[in-house]
Amino acid sequence: MPAELTVLALAGILLLVHIFSATHYKTKQYGLDWNMGARDEDTKPLNDIAGRLDRARGNFLETLPLAIIALGGIVVAGKASDLTTIAAWVWLAARVVYLPLYWAGVPKVRTYVWAVSLLALLFVLGVLLLG
């Protein structure tokens, strides 16, 4: 299997980590009845950690489709190379590092790590589009 697809499969696991960590802290704040209910009621704003994890999950969900398009597209187009493989792993590594940075509330560094992940995907998109 191409490495780019392995990275996407691992990104699926990372997505589950995002979802379950955010939901865990939301449930700690709002309770099990909230978690198992329809969630129609108004709730207090999330505490700092739950809010950060929820925003990190949202951020990952915003960029994951781009990764699927870039990495999946590069495989389908037959343009995978050592450089696209490196870019794929850089993207995933940056996204793995991003979560605990956001969780801990680390400013600036978190944004730089996000930028690295985006640059890795833009590189792959460039290869997909231009050669």
Side-chain angles (χ1 to χ4, degrees):
M1 173 167 60
E4 292 83 355
L5 294 183
T6 300
V7 167
L8 285 178
L10 292 171
I13 294 169
L14 182 57
L15 176 59
L16 291 174
V17 171
H18 273 277
I19 291 168
F20 287 119
S21 61
T23 303
H24 171 75
Y25 278 91
K26 282 183 184 180
T27 302
K28 278 181 75 170
Q29 181 175 341
Y30 296 144
L32 192 57
D33 288 339
W34 166 85
N35 183 297
M36 297 179 73
R39 302 179 189 175
D40 292 331
E41 65 275 2
D42 289 331
T43 55
K44 295 179 184 177
L46 291 170
N47 63 41
D48 289 348
I49 292 176
R52 282 188 228 125
L53 288 171
D54 193 53
R55 290 188 300 276
R57 178 200 48 79
N59 180 276
F60 189 67
L61 284 171
E62 289 171 355
T63 58
L64 183 58
L66 181 59
I68 294 167
I69 291 165
L71 299 175
I74 211 83
V75 171
V76 169
K79 295 183 177 184
S81 69
D82 289 344
L83 289 177
T84 61
T85 295
I86 290 167
W89 286 111
V90 167
W91 171 76
L92 183 63
R95 291 312 312 208
V96 167
V97 169
Y98 180 86
L99 179 58
L101 288 174
Y102 210 144
W103 189 334
V106 176
K108 296 183 184 176
V109 174
R110 179 192 86 226
T111 303
Y112 296 137
V113 169
W114 174 85
V116 167
S117 74
L118 181 61
L119 288 172
L121 288 182
L122 290 175
F123 172 80
V124 176
L125 279 174
V127 172
L128 181 60
L129 291 170
L130 304 173

